[in-house]
Amino acid sequence: MKTVVIGGGPSGMICAYYERLNGNDVVLIEKNEKLGKKLYITGKGRCNLTNDCDVQTFLANVVSNPKFLMSSIYAFTPTDTVNFFESIGLKTKVERGNRVFPLSDKSSDVIKVLKNALESLGVDIKLNETVLDVLASDSKVTMVKTDLNSYDANKVVIATGGISYPSTGSTGDGYHFAKNLGHTVTKLTPSLCGFNLKGDDYKELQGLTLKNVNLAVKDGNKEYYSEQGEMLFTHFGVSGPLVLTASALTTKRSFNDITLSIDLKPALTSKELDKRLLRDFEINKNKALKNSLDLLLPKALIPLIIKRSGINEYKKNNEITVKERAVLVSLLKSLEFKLETLRGFNEAVITNGGISVKEVNPSTMESKVVKGLYFAGEVLDLDAFTGGFNLQIAFSTGYVAGNN
Ligand SMILES: Cc1cc2nc3c(=O)[nH]c(=O)nc-3n(C[C@H](O)[C@H](O)[C@H](O)COP(=O)(O)OP(=O)(O)OC[C@H]3O[C@@H](n4cnc5c(N)ncnc54)[C@H](O)[C@@H]3O)c2cc1C
């Protein structure tokens, strides 16, 4: 039995490992000069390998097609991932939010142990070789053609990743191979990325990080996301943990009427906030409004809040009316911005969309269209929130594809 695994990312590597462990001849083809180029930049170079959680929690963090993932996640759980890496020589640790990292904090160590494990098992690793096509005859895979060779194969695993961060080698080739073989590719959208905002007053806030705020996102009047945490303003709009999570829930929407609403003081009710303003204004009766909000807000936000309130910035605190205070309170509880678009694939952590899972057997990752054709990792229409869930998807689907 000859197996060709296309793509030396996490899903391809783990797949090749188990495929070889089962006694099959395995060729792993990677077009880059080294394995795991994207893996190297994961977790800001520290690689958040997985999330140390139970399967139900895991599935709750999967955005697209969690049901499809059920059997592969049970077959290879986050605990199995940790045990696997420990068994090939990588010590791990668990951090805040159950995020698992290598003890060394180095993604390069993850790649090193995977490469060593593959080499010691005798996987034939081909670097600097690009797969150009996968051929089938009578609905059965037969051959993989590269820029340098042709390989006869009775099993081919497409593990070529998505199209985000294309500089790492994930350029969407697998979608073309699959389409040519009769598979459907669902709409591809960047996910886990920043938001470009409409207008330009956000530009004044560039570089501002907001901690412990609540971000709510609405489509028309319907709120579909609300969470407390951290976000930041950039030259294009907003980014940071809250925004990345919100982006994953925004990918499939039309961007006509998406509003971001930031509650700058989520710990206070509007009434409490009004009292707080009243107290601050009473203490500094003769101060101008523009000099009176420093204790409540980061400096960079004050001009924008005052501009949007329509109150003269030089107005003294003791002249501010009840109505004007109500306007300030409402801005502090709901500072709104309109979404223009999502940032592009060049910056997205993950691709939303991919090979339709309806055409893939969830227990084996084998194509229902072409016999002997398998898929693993991000090339499939699967994606999850940040926290190690996306790499776990790569490991679980890679394991299942290689263990059949
Ligand atoms: C900046 C960043 C940070 C991230 N951090 C994390 C994190 O900390 N935790 C987490 O869980 N997820 C993280 N992710 C997501 C994670 O990296 C992906 O989910 C994961 O890499 C997908 O693995 P994969 O094997 O499916 O695809 P990839 O890692 O994209 O690997 C696919 C491989 O196939 C090769 N290839 C493609 N076409 C061909 C061809 N024609 N011939 C030969 N080879 C080919 C590519 O060169 C590539 O090496 C991050 C992503 C980014 C961009």
Side-chain angles (χ1 to χ4, degrees):
M1 172 111 166
K2 179 84 158 184
T3 301
V4 176
V5 179
I6 310 170
S11 65
M13 286 193 271
I14 202 157
C15 173
Y17 178 88
Y18 281 100
E19 189 72 29
R20 180 72 194 124
L21 206 62
N22 285 332
N24 300 317
D25 263 357
V26 185
V27 183
L28 174 64
I29 305 176
E30 167 55 54
K31 68 177 170 187
N32 288 324
E33 69 291 357
K34 55 187 174 204
L35 298 170
K37 229 175 175 176
K38 184 175 276 179
L39 194 55
Y40 183 71
I41 59 166
T42 56
K44 299 196 170 113
R46 295 172 61 224
C47 184
N48 178 193
L49 271 179
T50 184
N51 195 282
D52 182 26
C53 63
D54 59 39
V55 170
Q56 287 316 315
T57 310
F58 184 88
L59 293 172
N61 280 281
V62 176
V63 179
S64 305
N65 298 310
K67 262 192 187 156
F68 173 85
L69 265 176
M70 200 122 86
S71 61
S72 56
I73 290 292
Y74 274 110
F76 199 77
T77 64
T79 306
D80 292 327
T81 297
V82 170
N83 291 341
F84 165 74
F85 277 103
E86 298 268 346
S87 79
I88 60 169
L90 185 84
K91 296 242 173 302
T92 60
K93 60 177 172 179
V94 183
E95 293 191 358
R96 185 179 51 87
N98 295 329
R99 293 164 191 246
V100 179
F101 290 89
L103 190 62
S104 65
D105 282 327
K106 285 187 190 153
S107 59
S108 54
D109 285 343
V110 178
I111 300 167
K112 207 186 286 169
V113 293
L114 280 169
K115 184 169 172 274
N116 288 345
L118 291 169
E119 283 173 350
S120 60
L121 272 186
V123 171
D124 185 6
I125 302 171
K126 308 279 188 196
L127 299 175
N128 291 308
E129 192 167 336
T130 303
V131 172
L132 303 176
D133 210 355
V134 179
L135 306 183
S137 150
D138 292 334
S139 301
K140 263 172 128 177
V141 284
T142 51
M143 186 184 279
V144 171
K145 282 197 162 181
T146 73
D147 54 348
L148 303 175
N149 285 299
S150 293
Y151 300 89
D152 291 328
N154 45 9
K155 176 168 178 179
V156 174
V157 185
I158 297 182
T160 47
I163 47 167
S164 61
Y165 269 73
S167 54
T168 60
S170 323
T171 48
D173 300 10
Y175 304 134
H176 302 300
F177 306 149
K179 263 190 188 167
N180 288 343
L181 292 166
H183 271 274
T184 311
V185 176
T186 62
K187 188 178 169 216
L188 305 172
T189 322
S191 187
L192 300 182
C193 57
F195 285 0
N196 291 314
L197 295 180
K198 283 186 179 158
D200 51 20
D201 59 357
Y202 68 83
K203 286 182 187 151
E204 300 166 25
L205 306 178
Q206 184 177 331
L208 173 69
T209 297
L210 295 175
K211 289 187 177 159
N212 299 320
V213 293
N214 192 88
L215 174 67
V217 189
K218 287 183 295 186
D219 191 350
N221 287 325
K222 198 166 184 295
E223 182 178 293
Y224 61 90
Y225 175 74
S226 176
E227 208 174 317
Q228 208 164 311
E230 190 176 321
M231 61 183 286
L232 63 107
F233 283 88
T234 66
H235 63 287
F236 57 76
V238 282
S239 190
L242 286 175
V243 177
L244 259 55
T245 305
S247 75
L249 300 171
T250 305
T251 53
K252 292 284 187 267
R253 295 173 184 273
S254 76
F255 303 150
N256 298 337
D257 192 16
I258 306 262
T259 310
L260 282 73
S261 164
I262 306 168
D263 182 346
L264 295 159
K265 295 287 162 195
L268 300 178
T269 62
S270 296
K271 217 170 161 187
E272 287 165 341
L273 190 54
D274 187 48
K275 266 192 188 160
R276 164 80 197 266
L277 275 178
L278 193 59
R279 203 180 60 215
D280 286 3
F281 290 169
E282 268 173 6
I283 295 169
N284 298 300
K285 275 184 190 147
N286 292 316
K287 256 191 176 177
L289 178 62
K290 69 184 245 169
N291 299 323
S292 310
L293 297 170
D294 310 42
L295 289 176
L296 204 59
L297 290 175
K299 248 194 166 52
L301 262 175
I302 297 171
L304 183 112
I305 295 280
I306 296 182
K307 192 159 68 188
R308 288 204 184 179
S309 74
I311 307 170
N312 183 330
E313 61 181 337
Y314 295 104
K315 195 162 188 178
K316 288 197 177 135
N317 288 333
N318 61 1
E319 291 166 357
I320 289 172
T321 64
V322 175
K323 220 171 167 183
E324 285 170 332
R325 234 175 38 237
V327 172
L328 287 171
V329 167
S330 111
L331 281 167
L332 297 178
K333 291 299 284 176
S334 175
L335 183 65
E336 292 195 346
F337 297 91
K338 284 273 183 197
L339 172 74
E340 176 91 59
T341 50
L342 295 175
R343 294 296 283 172
F345 284 112
N346 283 348
E347 294 172 27
V349 168
I350 201 95
T351 304
N352 171 272
I355 312 280
S356 169
V357 296
K358 288 186 193 140
E359 298 161 356
V360 180
N361 180 333
S363 319
T364 61
M365 296 298 139
E366 186 172 18
S367 158
K368 292 179 184 170
V369 181
V370 177
K371 212 170 161 1
L373 180 68
Y374 290 72
F375 300 98
E378 199 180 323
V379 74
L380 286 157
D381 182 5
L382 302 169
D383 63 278
F385 294 125
T386 56
F389 304 105
N390 285 299
L391 279 174
Q392 182 61 44
I393 291 176
F395 295 134
S396 293
T397 54
Y399 167 83
V400 170
N403 209 32
N404 274 282

Tab-separated table of all heavy atoms in Angstrom, residues 6-12 29-32 37-39 41-43 47-48 129-131 159-162 165 168-171 173 177 348-350 376-379 388-392 394, ligand 1:
chain	number	residue	atom	x	y	z
A	6	ILE	N	-0.172	14.954	1.108
A	6	ILE	CA	0.213	16.237	0.504
A	6	ILE	C	0.109	17.339	1.553
A	6	ILE	O	-0.984	17.662	2.026
A	6	ILE	CB	-0.712	16.595	-0.691
A	6	ILE	CG1	-0.825	15.411	-1.661
A	6	ILE	CG2	-0.191	17.834	-1.412
A	6	ILE	CD1	-1.896	15.596	-2.730
A	7	GLY	N	1.242	17.902	1.929
A	7	GLY	CA	1.264	19.008	2.893
A	7	GLY	C	1.949	18.607	4.187
A	7	GLY	O	1.496	17.689	4.878
A	8	GLY	N	3.031	19.303	4.492
A	8	GLY	CA	3.789	19.016	5.720
A	8	GLY	C	3.452	19.978	6.830
A	8	GLY	O	4.335	20.476	7.535
A	9	GLY	N	2.176	20.266	7.000
A	9	GLY	CA	1.705	21.043	8.160
A	9	GLY	C	1.350	20.064	9.276
A	9	GLY	O	1.591	18.851	9.146
A	10	PRO	N	0.759	20.554	10.376
A	10	PRO	CA	0.427	19.666	11.491
A	10	PRO	C	-0.475	18.497	11.097
A	10	PRO	O	-0.247	17.368	11.530
A	10	PRO	CB	-0.258	20.584	12.499
A	10	PRO	CG	-0.520	21.875	11.787
A	10	PRO	CD	0.451	21.960	10.666
A	11	SER	N	-1.481	18.746	10.260
A	11	SER	CA	-2.405	17.647	9.921
A	11	SER	C	-1.696	16.605	9.052
A	11	SER	O	-1.867	15.402	9.256
A	11	SER	CB	-3.663	18.175	9.220
A	11	SER	OG	-3.342	18.736	7.970
A	12	GLY	N	-0.882	17.055	8.105
A	12	GLY	CA	-0.168	16.133	7.233
A	12	GLY	C	0.882	15.338	8.000
A	12	GLY	O	1.045	14.129	7.777
A	29	ILE	N	4.759	14.977	1.053
A	29	ILE	CA	5.285	15.974	0.106
A	29	ILE	C	4.952	17.397	0.596
A	29	ILE	O	3.788	17.726	0.841
A	29	ILE	CB	4.688	15.767	-1.309
A	29	ILE	CG1	4.938	14.322	-1.775
A	29	ILE	CG2	5.310	16.759	-2.294
A	29	ILE	CD1	4.306	13.981	-3.117
A	30	GLU	N	5.984	18.199	0.714
A	30	GLU	CA	5.827	19.577	1.185
A	30	GLU	C	6.528	20.514	0.199
A	30	GLU	O	7.679	20.295	-0.154
A	30	GLU	CB	6.438	19.708	2.603
A	30	GLU	CG	6.621	21.126	3.101
A	30	GLU	CD	5.344	21.964	3.076
A	30	GLU	OE1	4.326	21.545	3.643
A	30	GLU	OE2	5.377	23.064	2.470
A	31	LYS	N	5.806	21.550	-0.200
A	31	LYS	CA	6.411	22.415	-1.223
A	31	LYS	C	7.438	23.394	-0.663
A	31	LYS	O	8.291	23.887	-1.396
A	31	LYS	CB	5.333	23.141	-2.012
A	31	LYS	CG	4.550	24.179	-1.261
A	31	LYS	CD	3.579	24.839	-2.247
A	31	LYS	CE	2.581	25.718	-1.563
A	31	LYS	NZ	1.572	26.209	-2.481
A	32	ASN	N	7.364	23.668	0.639
A	32	ASN	CA	8.362	24.561	1.231
A	32	ASN	C	9.684	23.836	1.448
A	32	ASN	O	9.753	22.615	1.364
A	32	ASN	CB	7.868	25.090	2.586
A	32	ASN	CG	6.753	26.106	2.417
A	32	ASN	OD1	6.760	26.891	1.469
A	32	ASN	ND2	5.787	26.074	3.320
A	37	LYS	N	5.807	25.360	8.293
A	37	LYS	CA	6.091	26.804	8.251
A	37	LYS	C	5.024	27.616	8.993
A	37	LYS	O	5.330	28.577	9.681
A	37	LYS	CB	6.185	27.267	6.797
A	37	LYS	CG	7.423	28.094	6.544
A	37	LYS	CD	7.572	28.432	5.084
A	37	LYS	CE	8.760	29.372	4.921
A	37	LYS	NZ	9.037	29.685	3.535
A	38	LYS	N	3.765	27.216	8.833
A	38	LYS	CA	2.713	27.951	9.558
A	38	LYS	C	2.744	27.594	11.043
A	38	LYS	O	2.589	28.468	11.901
A	38	LYS	CB	1.328	27.655	8.971
A	38	LYS	CG	0.229	28.477	9.637
A	38	LYS	CD	-1.123	28.287	8.981
A	38	LYS	CE	-1.276	29.198	7.777
A	38	LYS	NZ	-2.580	29.000	7.104
A	39	LEU	N	2.992	26.326	11.327
A	39	LEU	CA	3.072	25.885	12.724
A	39	LEU	C	4.098	26.723	13.492
A	39	LEU	O	3.926	27.035	14.674
A	39	LEU	CB	3.474	24.393	12.738
A	39	LEU	CG	3.331	23.599	14.026
A	39	LEU	CD1	1.913	23.689	14.573
A	39	LEU	CD2	3.688	22.137	13.792
A	41	ILE	N	4.777	29.834	13.268
A	41	ILE	CA	4.316	31.166	13.716
A	41	ILE	C	3.082	31.083	14.623
A	41	ILE	O	2.548	32.101	15.050
A	41	ILE	CB	4.017	32.114	12.515
A	41	ILE	CG1	2.929	31.516	11.588
A	41	ILE	CG2	5.280	32.428	11.749
A	41	ILE	CD1	2.364	32.523	10.598
A	42	THR	N	2.617	29.877	14.917
A	42	THR	CA	1.414	29.774	15.756
A	42	THR	C	1.700	30.247	17.179
A	42	THR	O	2.841	30.155	17.653
A	42	THR	CB	0.867	28.328	15.820
A	42	THR	OG1	1.905	27.471	16.269
A	42	THR	CG2	0.329	27.859	14.491
A	43	GLY	N	0.636	30.740	17.817
A	43	GLY	CA	0.735	31.185	19.214
A	43	GLY	C	1.860	32.182	19.416
A	43	GLY	O	2.568	32.116	20.422
A	47	CYS	N	3.252	28.405	19.938
A	47	CYS	CA	2.411	27.284	19.523
A	47	CYS	C	1.452	26.795	20.614
A	47	CYS	O	1.809	25.967	21.449
A	47	CYS	CB	3.254	26.107	19.026
A	47	CYS	SG	2.229	24.772	18.420
A	48	ASN	N	0.257	27.300	20.528
A	48	ASN	CA	-0.808	26.831	21.414
A	48	ASN	C	-1.364	25.531	20.811
A	48	ASN	O	-2.291	25.530	20.025
A	48	ASN	CB	-1.886	27.929	21.496
A	48	ASN	CG	-3.067	27.569	22.349
A	48	ASN	OD1	-4.085	28.242	22.297
A	48	ASN	ND2	-2.970	26.517	23.139
A	129	GLU	N	9.062	20.315	-3.084
A	129	GLU	CA	8.379	19.625	-4.183
A	129	GLU	C	6.892	19.999	-4.117
A	129	GLU	O	6.266	19.870	-3.065
A	129	GLU	CB	8.578	18.102	-4.031
A	129	GLU	CG	8.153	17.353	-5.264
A	129	GLU	CD	8.647	15.884	-5.265
A	129	GLU	OE1	9.646	15.562	-4.601
A	129	GLU	OE2	7.984	15.077	-5.943
A	130	THR	N	6.376	20.449	-5.234
A	130	THR	CA	4.990	20.948	-5.240
A	130	THR	C	4.069	19.987	-5.971
A	130	THR	O	4.346	19.620	-7.123
A	130	THR	CB	4.934	22.335	-5.946
A	130	THR	OG1	5.830	23.199	-5.271
A	130	THR	CG2	3.536	22.925	-5.921
A	131	VAL	N	3.015	19.592	-5.295
A	131	VAL	CA	2.015	18.740	-5.959
A	131	VAL	C	1.214	19.606	-6.930
A	131	VAL	O	0.747	20.694	-6.572
A	131	VAL	CB	1.092	18.064	-4.924
A	131	VAL	CG1	-0.060	17.344	-5.614
A	131	VAL	CG2	1.891	17.093	-4.060
A	159	ALA	N	-3.760	17.440	2.656
A	159	ALA	CA	-3.606	18.151	3.944
A	159	ALA	C	-2.904	19.477	3.688
A	159	ALA	O	-1.914	19.819	4.332
A	159	ALA	CB	-2.810	17.282	4.921
A	160	THR	N	-3.439	20.205	2.704
A	160	THR	CA	-2.746	21.396	2.198
A	160	THR	C	-3.133	22.697	2.900
A	160	THR	O	-2.682	23.765	2.500
A	160	THR	CB	-3.037	21.549	0.684
A	160	THR	OG1	-4.448	21.380	0.501
A	160	THR	CG2	-2.312	20.508	-0.129
A	161	GLY	N	-3.976	22.620	3.932
A	161	GLY	CA	-4.345	23.818	4.682
A	161	GLY	C	-5.334	24.693	3.942
A	161	GLY	O	-5.888	24.304	2.899
A	162	GLY	N	-5.564	25.898	4.488
A	162	GLY	CA	-6.522	26.830	3.881
A	162	GLY	C	-5.819	27.813	2.963
A	162	GLY	O	-4.839	27.454	2.291
A	165	TYR	N	-2.753	33.428	5.454
A	165	TYR	CA	-1.287	33.524	5.549
A	165	TYR	C	-0.625	32.737	4.409
A	165	TYR	O	0.169	31.831	4.630
A	165	TYR	CB	-0.786	32.987	6.904
A	165	TYR	CG	-0.679	34.042	7.975
A	165	TYR	CD1	-1.825	34.553	8.563
A	165	TYR	CD2	0.554	34.513	8.417
A	165	TYR	CE1	-1.748	35.524	9.560
A	165	TYR	CE2	0.640	35.482	9.416
A	165	TYR	CZ	-0.512	35.975	9.979
A	165	TYR	OH	-0.437	36.925	10.961
A	168	THR	N	2.969	31.259	4.065
A	168	THR	CA	3.456	30.045	4.735
A	168	THR	C	3.301	28.797	3.858
A	168	THR	O	3.652	27.702	4.277
A	168	THR	CB	2.687	29.801	6.053
A	168	THR	OG1	1.291	29.641	5.729
A	168	THR	CG2	2.862	30.934	7.040
A	169	GLY	N	2.749	28.983	2.668
A	169	GLY	CA	2.582	27.827	1.767
A	169	GLY	C	1.134	27.402	1.616
A	169	GLY	O	0.797	26.612	0.726
A	170	SER	N	0.262	27.921	2.463
A	170	SER	CA	-1.168	27.551	2.390
A	170	SER	C	-1.829	28.437	1.333
A	170	SER	O	-2.329	29.515	1.647
A	170	SER	CB	-1.843	27.756	3.747
A	170	SER	OG	-0.970	27.407	4.789
A	171	THR	N	-1.790	27.973	0.097
A	171	THR	CA	-2.278	28.802	-1.009
A	171	THR	C	-3.544	28.239	-1.658
A	171	THR	O	-3.922	28.654	-2.748
A	171	THR	CB	-1.170	28.948	-2.083
A	171	THR	OG1	-0.656	27.641	-2.355
A	171	THR	CG2	-0.037	29.839	-1.601
A	173	ASP	N	-4.164	25.138	-2.767
A	173	ASP	CA	-4.015	24.138	-3.838
A	173	ASP	C	-4.974	22.955	-3.655
A	173	ASP	O	-5.520	22.425	-4.631
A	173	ASP	CB	-2.580	23.581	-3.884
A	173	ASP	CG	-1.547	24.677	-4.129
A	173	ASP	OD1	-1.911	25.855	-4.068
A	173	ASP	OD2	-0.376	24.327	-4.367
A	177	PHE	N	-7.399	20.616	-6.296
A	177	PHE	CA	-7.313	19.158	-6.503
A	177	PHE	C	-8.690	18.529	-6.245
A	177	PHE	O	-9.164	17.696	-7.020
A	177	PHE	CB	-6.294	18.508	-5.548
A	177	PHE	CG	-4.906	19.113	-5.588
A	177	PHE	CD1	-4.105	19.126	-4.445
A	177	PHE	CD2	-4.403	19.662	-6.758
A	177	PHE	CE1	-2.830	19.677	-4.470
A	177	PHE	CE2	-3.117	20.216	-6.791
A	177	PHE	CZ	-2.333	20.224	-5.647
A	348	ALA	N	-5.575	36.722	8.245
A	348	ALA	CA	-6.530	35.892	8.991
A	348	ALA	C	-5.825	34.673	9.569
A	348	ALA	O	-5.005	34.044	8.903
A	348	ALA	CB	-7.660	35.448	8.071
A	349	VAL	N	-6.152	34.331	10.793
A	349	VAL	CA	-5.544	33.162	11.435
A	349	VAL	C	-6.051	31.871	10.787
A	349	VAL	O	-5.347	30.875	10.724
A	349	VAL	CB	-5.843	33.188	12.959
A	349	VAL	CG1	-5.493	31.871	13.635
A	349	VAL	CG2	-5.084	34.335	13.627
A	350	ILE	N	-7.264	31.933	10.262
A	350	ILE	CA	-7.878	30.699	9.763
A	350	ILE	C	-8.786	31.007	8.564
A	350	ILE	O	-9.254	32.127	8.422
A	350	ILE	CB	-8.657	30.016	10.929
A	350	ILE	CG1	-8.874	28.546	10.685
A	350	ILE	CG2	-9.972	30.684	11.236
A	350	ILE	CD1	-7.839	27.700	11.317
A	376	ALA	N	-7.490	16.137	5.492
A	376	ALA	CA	-7.188	16.399	6.904
A	376	ALA	C	-6.880	17.874	7.097
A	376	ALA	O	-6.281	18.514	6.230
A	376	ALA	CB	-5.991	15.563	7.345
A	377	GLY	N	-7.325	18.414	8.223
A	377	GLY	CA	-6.951	19.770	8.630
A	377	GLY	C	-7.813	20.870	8.043
A	377	GLY	O	-8.971	20.680	7.667
A	378	GLU	N	-7.187	22.028	7.916
A	378	GLU	CA	-7.900	23.263	7.577
A	378	GLU	C	-8.482	23.273	6.176
A	378	GLU	O	-9.349	24.095	5.874
A	378	GLU	CB	-6.926	24.435	7.772
A	378	GLU	CG	-7.606	25.774	7.905
A	378	GLU	CD	-6.612	26.908	8.104
A	378	GLU	OE1	-5.593	26.713	8.798
A	378	GLU	OE2	-6.871	27.998	7.563
A	379	VAL	N	-8.023	22.388	5.299
A	379	VAL	CA	-8.582	22.330	3.940
A	379	VAL	C	-10.075	21.970	3.985
A	379	VAL	O	-10.843	22.317	3.085
A	379	VAL	CB	-7.768	21.323	3.072
A	379	VAL	CG1	-8.078	19.877	3.450
A	379	VAL	CG2	-7.994	21.562	1.585
A	388	GLY	N	-6.214	27.010	20.786
A	388	GLY	CA	-5.626	25.692	20.518
A	388	GLY	C	-6.590	24.759	19.801
A	388	GLY	O	-6.245	23.618	19.477
A	389	PHE	N	-7.805	25.243	19.545
A	389	PHE	CA	-8.840	24.380	18.950
A	389	PHE	C	-8.553	24.062	17.477
A	389	PHE	O	-8.850	22.963	17.005
A	389	PHE	CB	-10.222	25.033	19.097
A	389	PHE	CG	-10.560	25.352	20.523
A	389	PHE	CD1	-10.512	26.649	21.002
A	389	PHE	CD2	-10.884	24.334	21.415
A	389	PHE	CE1	-10.793	26.942	22.331
A	389	PHE	CE2	-11.167	24.615	22.744
A	389	PHE	CZ	-11.125	25.924	23.200
A	390	ASN	N	-7.978	25.019	16.756
A	390	ASN	CA	-7.742	24.778	15.327
A	390	ASN	C	-6.635	23.752	15.107
A	390	ASN	O	-6.750	22.896	14.233
A	390	ASN	CB	-7.453	26.099	14.608
A	390	ASN	CG	-8.728	26.900	14.430
A	390	ASN	OD1	-9.663	26.451	13.768
A	390	ASN	ND2	-8.802	28.066	15.060
A	391	LEU	N	-5.582	23.821	15.911
A	391	LEU	CA	-4.538	22.793	15.773
A	391	LEU	C	-5.086	21.428	16.190
A	391	LEU	O	-4.754	20.412	15.585
A	391	LEU	CB	-3.304	23.162	16.593
A	391	LEU	CG	-2.378	24.175	15.901
A	391	LEU	CD1	-1.244	24.608	16.816
A	391	LEU	CD2	-1.804	23.595	14.608
A	392	GLN	N	-5.944	21.410	17.200
A	392	GLN	CA	-6.532	20.123	17.604
A	392	GLN	C	-7.363	19.539	16.456
A	392	GLN	O	-7.363	18.325	16.243
A	392	GLN	CB	-7.382	20.287	18.870
A	392	GLN	CG	-7.984	18.982	19.373
A	392	GLN	CD	-6.934	17.943	19.754
A	392	GLN	OE1	-5.942	18.266	20.407
A	392	GLN	NE2	-7.126	16.696	19.335
A	394	ALA	N	-6.683	19.918	13.338
A	394	ALA	CA	-5.672	19.364	12.419
A	394	ALA	C	-5.169	18.007	12.934
A	394	ALA	O	-5.041	17.045	12.165
A	394	ALA	CB	-4.513	20.345	12.261
B	1	LIG	C1	-0.521	33.597	12.784
B	1	LIG	C2	-1.227	32.314	13.116
B	1	LIG	C3	-1.235	31.850	14.407
B	1	LIG	C4	-1.918	30.673	14.738
B	1	LIG	N1	-1.856	30.229	16.015
B	1	LIG	C5	-2.518	29.100	16.346
B	1	LIG	C6	-2.424	28.564	17.668
B	1	LIG	O1	-1.630	29.039	18.502
B	1	LIG	N2	-3.193	27.471	17.968
B	1	LIG	C7	-4.015	26.881	17.047
B	1	LIG	O2	-4.708	25.926	17.388
B	1	LIG	N3	-4.062	27.320	15.772
B	1	LIG	C8	-3.334	28.403	15.401
B	1	LIG	N4	-3.362	28.823	14.097
B	1	LIG	C9	-4.100	28.023	13.090
B	1	LIG	C10	-3.246	26.809	12.672
B	1	LIG	O3	-1.962	27.263	12.284
B	1	LIG	C11	-3.893	26.061	11.527
B	1	LIG	O4	-5.166	25.654	11.938
B	1	LIG	C12	-3.069	24.822	11.152
B	1	LIG	O5	-1.770	25.174	10.770
B	1	LIG	C13	-3.732	24.026	10.034
B	1	LIG	O6	-2.940	22.902	9.785
B	1	LIG	P1	-2.954	22.164	8.376
B	1	LIG	O7	-1.949	21.072	8.476
B	1	LIG	O8	-4.328	21.806	8.014
B	1	LIG	O9	-2.487	23.263	7.326
B	1	LIG	P2	-1.112	24.125	7.194
B	1	LIG	O10	-0.477	24.319	8.517
B	1	LIG	O11	-1.511	25.316	6.417
B	1	LIG	O12	-0.181	23.187	6.333
B	1	LIG	C14	-0.433	22.900	4.979
B	1	LIG	C15	0.903	22.592	4.293
B	1	LIG	O13	0.651	22.126	2.971
B	1	LIG	C16	1.652	22.640	2.121
B	1	LIG	N5	1.146	22.644	0.748
B	1	LIG	C17	0.106	23.365	0.252
B	1	LIG	N6	-0.068	23.124	-1.056
B	1	LIG	C18	0.879	22.210	-1.403
B	1	LIG	C19	1.218	21.583	-2.637
B	1	LIG	N7	0.553	21.831	-3.762
B	1	LIG	N8	2.261	20.718	-2.644
B	1	LIG	C20	2.957	20.445	-1.514
B	1	LIG	N9	2.684	21.025	-0.326
B	1	LIG	C21	1.651	21.913	-0.279
B	1	LIG	C22	1.899	24.028	2.657
B	1	LIG	O14	3.157	24.527	2.244
B	1	LIG	C23	1.796	23.812	4.159
B	1	LIG	O15	3.043	23.560	4.746
B	1	LIG	C24	-2.640	29.970	13.738
B	1	LIG	C25	-2.622	30.443	12.422
B	1	LIG	C26	-1.918	31.588	12.113
B	1	LIG	C27	-1.896	32.061	10.679
